[in-house]
Amino acid sequence: MSSRILPDFELLMPQSIAEAVDLLSSYGRRVTVMAGGTDVLVAMKSTQSPEYVMSLANIPGLAHVLFEPAKGLRLGAKATVADLLAHPDVMRHYPSLWHAAEIFATGQVRNTATVLGNLLRASPAGDCSCAIYAIGGTVVFQSVSGRREVDIDDFWLSYGVTARRADELAVELVLPPPSDGARAAFRRLTRTNDDLAKLNVAVQLDMLGGTCIDARLAMGCVAPTPLRLRHTEALLKGREITAELLQRVAESVPAEISPIDDKRSTAEYRRQVAGVVLKRAIEDACRAD
């Protein structure tokens, strides 16, 4: 983080979810919500000058990581990446998300950054975002009007923009329980381990023996938002996973993505390697116990 001075702002410290949504109802887009602050504080030193910053630090009941076999995984708005890594059920039942969290930034950042904040940042490079997109799930919002759930497939609208309304507080992420045949994996390419990804991939397969019953494939850094590879998913569904099929899968990826040149990579490099990385991630998932 740079040493530049933060702009002037008024700090709001609600003591409950009810108080927080009242503030959002009153101030709307004039408020920037801060949980861990790892993105918010950096942005405030460069591109953002919010009138109000609302911290969730004093609101109880938002730091949970709860797993129930029949209901899935629930992550509160203040649950950090480190909290996720410390939960044995995440490692066992959601290995792609656990691996994305394991290589997320640095230890200091993992102790502060929240999983839900990574989704709300709406960056196409988000590692947890990519893994969650492949898993599926819903984001739960709270406002003075009540609760609203948004499917993760409808969550990212454009770069930096999500389906959250100005008067809503994101309070929870809910991931579905894994099926008996669930297989998952996560891979990324990066310049250094602590850097943002230049490409990331997550796969979630529902297998019956060697046959793929269903598939969700997500990729980051190749579009303005995290991207589902729906055409490539269709190639896998109902088919036995063979070397020939995986080669077809790899060859289908470039037609689904729209990467750009940036300081971490080039569009051409991403286009050339995307299918290979996806193929290897599917192989990882099929090898998983």
Side-chain angles (χ1 to χ4, degrees):
M1 185 180 294
S2 76
S3 60
R4 292 181 61 188
I5 298 172
L6 292 171
D8 291 336
F9 63 92
E10 184 173 341
L11 180 63
L12 306 175
M13 298 288 292
Q15 304 298 304
S16 66
I17 292 175
E19 184 182 353
V21 297
D22 279 341
L23 290 168
L24 289 174
S25 179
S26 298
Y27 298 123
R29 299 196 182 280
R30 296 158 66 192
V31 177
T32 291
V33 179
M34 182 175 72
T38 53
D39 281 323
V40 168
L41 293 177
V42 172
M44 288 175 63
K45 291 184 176 184
S46 55
T47 60
Q48 295 183 12
S49 298
E51 186 177 351
Y52 299 97
V53 173
M54 186 175 77
S55 171
L56 306 184
N58 291 346
I59 301 178
L62 290 179
H64 55 276
V65 180
L66 302 172
F67 175 76
E68 296 181 58
K71 295 182 179 180
L73 183 68
R74 294 170 50 212
L75 300 172
K78 295 198 299 182
T80 67
V81 176
D83 292 335
L84 194 73
L85 286 172
H87 203 292
D89 284 322
V90 177
M91 178 189 289
R92 179 179 178 184
H93 297 294
Y94 303 91
S96 57
L97 178 56
W98 192 90
H99 183 49
E102 182 187 28
I103 59 176
F104 186 97
T106 65
Q108 288 175 314
V109 174
R110 290 191 292 270
N111 285 335
T112 307
T114 63
V115 179
L116 204 48
N118 192 238
L119 269 63
L120 289 160
R121 171 64 179 82
S123 166
D127 291 327
C128 289
S129 296
C130 183
I132 289 165
Y133 204 4
I135 295 167
T138 58
V139 179
V140 181
F141 295 104
Q142 181 73 44
S143 71
V144 294
S145 301
R147 291 167 71 89
R148 184 172 73 100
E149 296 185 2
V150 175
D151 192 286
I152 199 67
D153 285 339
D154 304 315
F155 182 73
W156 292 291
L157 304 182
S158 61
Y159 179 79
V161 180
T162 73
R164 185 183 81 87
R165 298 168 182 164
D167 64 342
E168 291 180 323
L169 178 68
V171 294
E172 191 174 59
L173 170 70
V174 182
L175 303 184
S179 67
D180 291 339
R183 300 290 184 269
F186 175 84
R187 276 187 175 242
R188 76 167 179 172
L189 298 178
T190 183
R191 296 182 302 176
T192 66
N193 195 53
D194 297 340
D195 196 9
L196 290 175
K198 63 174 69 178
L199 183 86
N200 55 26
V201 171
V203 305
Q204 187 77 19
L205 308 177
D206 187 5
M207 301 292 295
L208 182 61
T211 300
C212 178
I213 306 303
D214 200 4
R216 289 178 65 100
L217 310 175
M219 186 171 287
C221 310
V222 294
T225 67
L227 182 69
R228 269 190 69 186
L229 304 173
R230 296 179 186 272
H231 175 72
T232 306
E233 290 173 358
L235 295 178
L236 290 169
K237 293 178 184 179
R239 292 181 172 86
E240 182 181 2
I241 294 184
T242 63
E244 291 77 15
L245 179 60
L246 289 180
Q247 184 59 36
R248 287 181 58 201
V249 164
E251 292 170 355
S252 78
V253 173
E256 290 204 76
I257 63 178
S258 53
I260 62 171
D261 295 334
D262 61 24
K263 64 183 179 182
R264 291 183 174 83
S265 190
T266 65
E268 183 59 26
Y269 177 78
R270 289 176 167 124
R271 193 174 288 108
Q272 289 290 331
V273 303
V276 176
V277 178
L278 175 64
K279 174 178 175 289
R280 291 175 180 173
I282 294 172
E283 291 171 339
D284 291 344
C286 291
R287 284 193 295 265
D289 292 333

